[in-house]
Amino acid sequence: MAVRLPRGFRMGAVRAGIKPSGKPDLALLASGLPALWAYAATQNRAAAPSVHRGRRLYAEGRPLRAVVVNAGNANCATGERGFRDDERLAELAAFRLGLSPEEVLTASTGVIGVPLPVEKVEKALPQLELGPFADPFAEAILTTDLAVKVAEREVEGARLVGVAKGSGMIHPNMATMLAFLVTDARVPQEVLRERWKGIVDRTFNQVTVDGDTSTNDLAVVLANGAYGEVPLGPFFAALEEVARELARKIARDGEGATKLMTVRVYGAATEEEARRAARAVAASPLWKSALYGNDPNWGRILAALGNSGARFDPFRVEIRLQGIPLYRGGALPFDREKASQAMRAEEVVVEADLKEGPFQAEAWGCDLTEGYVRINALYTT
Amino acid sequence: MAVRLPRGFRMGAVRAGIKPSGKPDLALLASGLPALWAYAATQNRAAAPSVHRGRRLYAEGRPLRAVVVNAGNANCATGERGFRDDERLAELAAFRLGLSPEEVLTASTGVIGVPLPVEKVEKALPQLELGPFADPFAEAILTTDLAVKVAEREVEGARLVGVAKGSGMIHPNMATMLAFLVTDARVPQEVLRERWKGIVDRTFNQVTVDGDTSTNDLAVVLANGAYGEVPLGPFFAALEEVARELARKIARDGEGATKLMTVRVYGAATEEEARRAARAVAASPLWKSALYGNDPNWGRILAALGNSGARFDPFRVEIRLQGIPLYRGGALPFDREKASQAMRAEEVVVEADLKEGPFQAEAWGCDLTEGYVRINALYTT
């Protein structure tokens, strides 16, 4: 596919032997210029050392020059040693690039509770070659994802490229979402940081595969300014599009998924309620199972909306599935067979109009399948 | 099994033809004496008419003389007509028993979005016979539950009997939990109502099958005083035991479940945090899948605790599975094969000590299996 990086960024990957599969598992992102950055990470209380370290660097506010990522080991729940190993990972990457460790962000994904084999990282890093394409990095950060996740946009000459990994599983582990976006646009850091939170809330935080939040989740954007200034309006629109495209790819590649679910909620009283309502539908195991079975079971959508905490009047709310109105303050007559046929698609769109206010939101998920259970139960013992 | 009711209570059931299976589906509970009562119902915004009506009766505070329950139709999302049909259900039961409709609580479970066939109720009610046993009622309120759920206790001569239904599914529907407890003890209504909330929070509200809350959930206790006063301490202990036993039976009979999961959280900073932490583990799809696969995957337990919002320090928290210590501020060495063997049991107990304070709580759930997905996806189209 070969997605070219923005000016001044290079990426590369190498096989360090952390993944049992022997696939590339150590990835490096470097910026020739100091990059301003914005960051969002998991709220999980058992967050990994890399998350704690990232938060500290973020608070200190200095520019970044690199991100080092290993896949196959989350370096989480590994005690005091985990923090030393994480710092060592930064030091090794810094040494490789001639930087200070404080200029290097770390990220890890994979098995938890097992010490990170830093000696393998040390041995492999000199072999890692950097180049102008996102692809080797995008592949190396995957765990059991089925598809590489890359998105790109241009904004008046500046470029934006994002790579992500979604829900993968290595025993014993949980799903982890990582996203790295880079741009050569010049953007004031305060603006980038302020806008990034909203973008992450509307995109990555609206993805739900199984309701479990990982200890290692991370979404970061780096802007090195190599291209120069661009109008901020189009820039942030493009940044959100890249994030949204990656979020959709993560949802579509959820464990065991056979289709993408997009939920659009309109007419909410607040933006937060719109987001919660959309997420509740995307996360409902009952509705996700019905989605898998191509069952236009709007009762489960209504029940999920009712559980979300978003305000609405069941006598006014409207529900549409693949554009077909199913409920408007009460059950509507519809052709069940036709609706079921319409659900046999790569993407199924659920729309709900709460009729309480002007706010809307999207969320993305996937169907709940026997494959999900198998991946997470039968294939790990 | 034949569980005898407390003095002054009678129960009965009849086939009204609401369930497609033709099984008994209309159940009646009557008290010879006016019964004080306490009540808890779903928080779902799309709550059924029976829930709205129950809340009104509850606020009015008068004693109850009867509860009428139909299974096979939730009478939810059925528009204005649903409210009239629900009132009609109460009127018909009141007429059958020579009572005022305001003395009759209604409950419904089953398909949603389909009008309740009240004419079938009207036709069947005269055939319904009341007797001194809980069993016909307990059977008639089931939907796709596999097992009847009854529990009983004696407190210094007074009797307590509870019946419940758990997660069952009729297309298109969601799981519904109903619980009815009756006692001939004399208990002041204010005390009963005050204590009932806490009991429901510690028992029925700690059951999670799939995280979806039904539109029709209901847990009610009736005390008719036919036996007389008993010491309140032992009485409420017994009441909580009955509720807890029913809660466990509901969890064990979760859709597709092969085993019961009991989660005990100790050392929480508040009772609410203890309950949330226990529920989060019981509800985690990743951990529920591992439970099904007999995989002692403590990383998923730790991640679920981390997502619960309960405060703890990952360097101090302890996790035990079937009594086997797996994690104490870091991974412990343990025999993985032996731990997996220990998970092949009817009940699997997860314990977590957060070491933040004196509060503890339990939650109950079940494993996530391919059977759950099949029941909710493949068997409904």
Side-chain angles (χ1 to χ4, degrees), chain A residues 186-203:
Chain A
R186 182 172 299 143
V187 190
Q189 179 149 297
E190 323 80 77
V191 183
L192 189 65
R193 291 189 167 195
E194 193 195 312
R195 298 290 294 268
W196 186 237
K197 204 202 153 319
I199 290 174
V200 169
D201 278 346
R202 287 189 295 276
T203 58

Side-chain angles (χ1 to χ4, degrees), chain A residues 339-355:
Chain A
S340 178
Q341 274 301 330
M343 292 175 76
R344 291 169 204 271
E346 259 296 295
E347 177 175 4
V348 171
V349 180
V350 178
E351 294 167 291
D353 187 345
L354 304 185
K355 301 190 181 172

Side-chain angles (χ1 to χ4, degrees), chain B residues 99-352:
Chain B
L99 304 172
S100 140
E102 302 293 287
E103 296 175 294
V104 182
L105 184 71
T106 59
S108 298
T109 176
V111 59
I112 95 165
V114 174
L116 182 68
V118 259
E119 67 292 350
K120 291 187 179 174
V121 173
E122 187 167 5
K123 216 166 155 185
L125 260 177
Q127 270 76 54
L128 188 150
E129 284 181 28
L130 293 166
F133 297 106
D135 310 66
F137 184 100
E139 198 198 322
I141 65 173
L142 303 182
T143 51
T144 55
D145 303 55
L146 299 177
V148 164
K149 296 163 188 74
V150 183
E152 55 179 330
R153 290 289 185 286
E154 285 221 10
V155 188
E156 315 209 356
R159 279 183 57 71
L160 262 163
V161 171
V163 298
K165 79 165 285 291
S167 55
M169 186 69 38
I170 300 174
H171 172 82
N173 197 18
M174 75 291 300
T176 295
M177 194 209 73
L178 299 175
F180 306 95
L181 285 75
V182 292
T183 180
D184 48 18
R186 181 172 300 143
V187 191
Q189 180 150 295
E190 323 81 76
V191 182
L192 188 66
R193 290 189 167 193
E194 193 197 312
R195 298 291 292 269
W196 185 238
K197 203 199 153 319
I199 290 173
V200 169
D201 279 345
R202 288 189 295 275
T203 58
F204 299 115
N205 283 344
Q206 291 293 99
V207 175
T208 171
V209 168
D210 52 21
D212 277 323
T213 303
S214 156
T215 51
N216 291 51
D217 285 348
L218 175 70
V220 62
V221 55
L222 282 76
N224 70 4
Y227 175 79
E229 286 178 15
V230 293
L232 291 183
F235 172 78
F236 283 109
L239 185 64
E240 184 152 349
E241 276 174 32
V242 170
R244 188 169 175 276
E245 188 175 326
L246 293 173
R248 287 168 56 90
K249 287 183 174 177
I250 290 168
R252 175 59 187 87
D253 199 19
E255 286 171 332
T258 71
K259 58 185 92 169
L260 171 66
M261 174 194 348
T262 296
V263 183
R264 295 197 185 104
V265 167
Y266 311 98
T270 68
E271 192 178 332
E272 172 57 20
E273 289 185 25
R275 283 204 293 262
R276 284 171 66 169
R279 274 203 311 270
V281 173
S284 160
L286 284 170
W287 166 242
K288 283 157 59 88
S289 299
L291 180 63
Y292 173 46
N294 300 308
D295 179 6
N297 193 330
W298 57 263
R300 297 182 185 174
I301 300 172
L302 183 66
L305 291 171
N307 286 332
S308 69
R311 283 164 283 182
F312 68 90
D313 177 351
F315 280 112
R316 299 183 67 220
V317 66
E318 276 190 49
I319 296 171
R320 285 187 297 278
L321 182 63
Q322 297 292 64
I324 304 167
L326 303 185
Y327 185 92
R328 188 179 298 129
L332 297 173
F334 67 95
D335 182 335
R336 186 166 292 276
E337 194 43 51
K338 213 167 142 185
S340 177
Q341 273 302 331
M343 292 174 77
R344 291 170 204 269
E346 259 296 295
E347 177 175 3
V348 171
V349 179
V350 179
E351 294 166 289

